[in-house]
Amino acid sequence: MLSASAAIGSAGAIALVWALVQFKIIAAIPVKSLDDDETKPLKEGKTSSETTERLNEIYCAIYDGAESFLQAEYKVCFQFIAFFGLVVFALVSWGTGWDYWQGGFTALSFWLGALTSMASGYLGMKVAVYSNVRTTISAQKPGYTSCFNTAFRAGAVMGFALCGMGLLMLYATLLAYRMHYDDSEQWTVLTEVITGFGLGGSCIAMFGRVGGGEL
């Protein structure tokens, strides 16, 4: 019979592999406007080479802008989670009769959840910018199937990568904490300290919604 650890680990690994497969399919689309005899250029009066040059120019500008935005946003996020993690540690420790282990584990869960969410957001933004220009290229083809599939695969990369990373990180954290809370009677405390993981992820998602909506 398949153990729980094997099932969870396999699910997370499959999600990450599938995200990589979808990304490879997107990456196979060249950033090059289709020839004039295949379809009309994106803009009247432009040749395919001129359109390709313009696409790359816009793509590079958006890429640089997204990178600058992420650096500015995540600088604030790092400061926030560093401070708020200490607040979580103090409040949980105080609320449990100064149980510093429980406070420390909850704060660590918060930091891990926040970092996982930040990594997912960074990946999502990169993939979105990377895929946008290729979706535009695909939209030059007749019909909507090609461009829809490209955009859908870009979303799948973010979705599966987020779920895979979150699942593996959360389960690894649970296994690590179980070494301290090895008695089954302490597992209620274990489930309480792990809730910090969700709080950390939600806090970063809040920044993403307010700052740019990439999470």
Side-chain angles (χ1 to χ4, degrees):
M1 180 180 295
L2 187 65
S3 66
S5 295
I8 294 172
S10 298
I14 290 172
L16 293 177
V17 170
W18 186 247
L20 180 61
V21 169
Q22 298 304 308
F23 178 76
K24 290 294 186 181
I25 295 175
I26 296 172
I29 301 174
V31 184
K32 179 181 179 181
S33 180
L34 300 181
D35 294 335
D36 294 344
D37 56 355
E38 294 182 77
T39 186
K40 295 179 65 178
L42 293 179
K43 185 177 180 181
E44 296 294 339
K46 294 285 186 179
T47 64
S48 60
S49 59
E50 292 173 330
T51 302
T52 299
E53 182 179 353
R54 183 59 175 162
L55 283 171
N56 278 285
E57 180 182 344
I58 296 173
Y59 165 64
C60 291
I62 296 175
Y63 184 92
D64 292 340
E67 182 69 26
S68 299
F69 164 74
L70 287 175
Q71 290 180 4
E73 182 186 35
Y74 280 4
K75 184 182 296 183
V76 176
C77 287
F78 276 121
Q79 295 172 353
F80 171 79
I81 64 174
F83 170 76
F84 198 73
L86 296 177
V87 173
V88 170
F89 170 75
L91 292 178
V92 173
S93 298
W94 172 72
T96 56
W98 299 110
D99 185 347
Y100 295 112
W101 281 107
Q102 189 168 346
F105 283 142
T106 306
L108 179 58
S109 297
F110 170 80
W111 285 320
L112 290 175
L115 292 175
T116 302
S117 183
M118 290 174 68
S120 300
Y122 186 84
L123 174 65
M125 179 68 84
K126 289 295 186 181
V127 172
V129 174
Y130 187 84
S131 304
N132 279 347
V133 65
R134 288 163 175 80
T135 302
T136 304
I137 296 295
S138 300
Q140 291 183 273
K141 299 178 180 179
Y144 65 87
T145 302
S146 181
C147 59
F148 175 82
N149 287 342
T150 303
F152 190 83
R153 288 190 174 101
V157 173
M158 171 61 178
F160 280 100
L162 171 60
C163 291
M165 287 192 297
L167 180 63
L168 293 176
M169 180 63 75
L170 180 60
Y171 190 63
T173 305
L174 280 169
L175 292 179
Y177 286 0
R178 190 177 175 183
M179 297 174 63
H180 180 77
Y181 298 109
D182 53 354
D183 189 346
S184 59
E185 295 182 358
Q186 297 178 305
W187 288 355
T188 300
V189 180
L190 173 60
T191 58
E192 291 175 355
V193 299
I194 204 65
T195 55
F197 191 93
L199 177 62
S202 298
C203 287
I204 299 303
M206 176 189 68
F207 276 97
R209 291 284 183 265
V210 174
E214 82 273 12
L215 300 182

